[in-house]
Amino acid sequence: RGPEALSVGAARRALREAGLTLVILDGVEGIVAQDTHLLGLVAGGRSEWIRPAVVAINKIDRMTDGGAVEARVREVRERLRFARFVPVVPISAREGRGLGMLLRAVRQVHADSARLLPTKELNDWLHRATEEHPHPVHGGRRLSFVFATQSGSRPPAITILTNRKARPHFSYVRYLENSLRERFALGATPVVLRFRHRPNRRARHAR
C-alpha cells in the first residue's frame, strides 16, 4: 500500500501540470486498482483533475493467447465506459508495434483538446440543444440555460449561465456533454461544463 499510495500521489501532482496524459497499462498484468484510480481521475474525476488522455496497453508481444489483446482492450474500454472518448491503443514498446497509431492518437487528442469554440456558435448550439430537449421541471420551475462561453482549454471548458442556482441533473449534464461533443466534433477529448447562476437584472436593481 505504501508505494502504491506514493505513486498515486505523484500522479496527482503531475496531473496538475499536464496538458495531456499518457496512461500506460501492463497488458499482461491487467488493470490493477491503482490504474483504475488514475483513469478515474484523468477521465471522470473532478474538473481540476480531468485531462486529455490516451491509454496505451503495453506488452502485447507477450500476449500470445488467441484473442488476448482484443479481450484486454474490451476490458479497458469497459472500465472507461464513463469516458468512451479516450483512445485505447495496444502497443509493444520492445518491438515498436503500435507506436505509430499511438502517436496519431496523441496528436488527435491534443488537437481536439486545444480547440477554441466561437461564442456565437456555442450559443447557437446551446439554444438548439435545450429547445430540442428541455431540462425537466423540478419544484414547479424549469432550469433555463441563458448563455455559454468557453472559459478554458486542454480540455475545453464551457461556462453556462443559468436562471437559477440549482445545478442541472447529472443525466442532463451528460446529455449536454454528448451534444456539444457531437456538434463540434470533439471526439477524443474530455469536456468540462461549468454552470453559474446569472441573477435577474430586475432582482439586482431591487436590492
Side-chain angles (χ1 to χ4, degrees):
R1 281 188 179 180
E4 187 170 301
L6 287 173
S7 59
V8 170
R12 287 191 174 192
R13 289 191 293 273
L15 280 177
R16 292 187 181 277
E17 305 298 327
L20 186 149
T21 302
L22 177 60
V23 181
I24 302 177
L25 306 180
D26 188 320
V28 175
E29 182 180 3
I31 302 176
V32 298
Q34 181 178 337
D35 296 330
T36 301
H37 181 75
L38 180 58
L39 290 171
L41 284 176
V42 169
R46 297 180 311 195
S47 60
E48 63 263 33
W49 296 115
I50 294 176
R51 294 293 183 273
V54 177
V55 174
I57 303 177
N58 193 24
K59 300 183 182 178
I60 60 172
D61 56 288
R62 294 174 53 188
M63 302 172 69
T64 56
D65 293 342
V69 174
E70 292 79 5
R72 188 67 77 208
V73 170
R74 286 196 300 271
E75 178 189 5
V76 173
R77 291 198 181 281
E78 175 60 24
R79 295 290 185 95
L80 281 169
R81 59 187 179 276
F82 56 89
R84 298 189 184 278
F85 52 84
V86 176
V88 178
V89 183
I91 68 167
S92 168
R94 186 173 68 175
E95 297 183 353
R97 290 161 56 190
L99 298 186
M101 185 181 298
L102 178 63
L103 182 57
R104 288 192 293 274
V106 168
R107 286 174 173 166
Q108 184 63 56
V109 171
H110 182 270
D112 284 356
S113 69
R115 289 274 303 280
L116 298 177
L117 310 179
T119 300
K120 182 183 184 305
E121 293 183 23
L122 271 175
N123 283 280
D124 289 343
W125 156 77
L126 178 66
H127 296 148
R128 184 175 295 108
T130 54
E131 285 178 3
E132 291 178 354
H133 182 40
H135 190 276
V137 174
H138 181 71
R141 298 178 62 191
R142 188 184 299 280
L143 185 65
S144 297
F145 303 88
V146 181
F147 184 79
T149 186
Q150 185 167 358
S151 51
S153 63
R154 295 182 184 172
I158 309 300
T159 296
I160 298 177
L161 302 183
T162 65
N163 67 330
R164 296 173 56 196
K165 290 184 178 180
R167 179 173 173 78
H169 191 273
F170 75 91
S171 62
Y172 197 80
V173 174
R174 180 59 56 89
Y175 159 72
L176 290 177
E177 288 177 3
N178 292 336
S179 175
L180 179 73
R181 192 184 306 283
E182 180 179 357
R183 166 62 181 81
F184 292 98
L186 300 171
T189 180
V191 173
V192 176
L193 297 185
R194 302 184 176 115
F195 298 91
R196 274 180 33 206
H197 170 231
R198 187 176 78 172
N200 182 280
R201 291 183 178 179
R202 291 182 180 178
R204 290 205 306 265
H205 291 313
R207 293 177 182 175

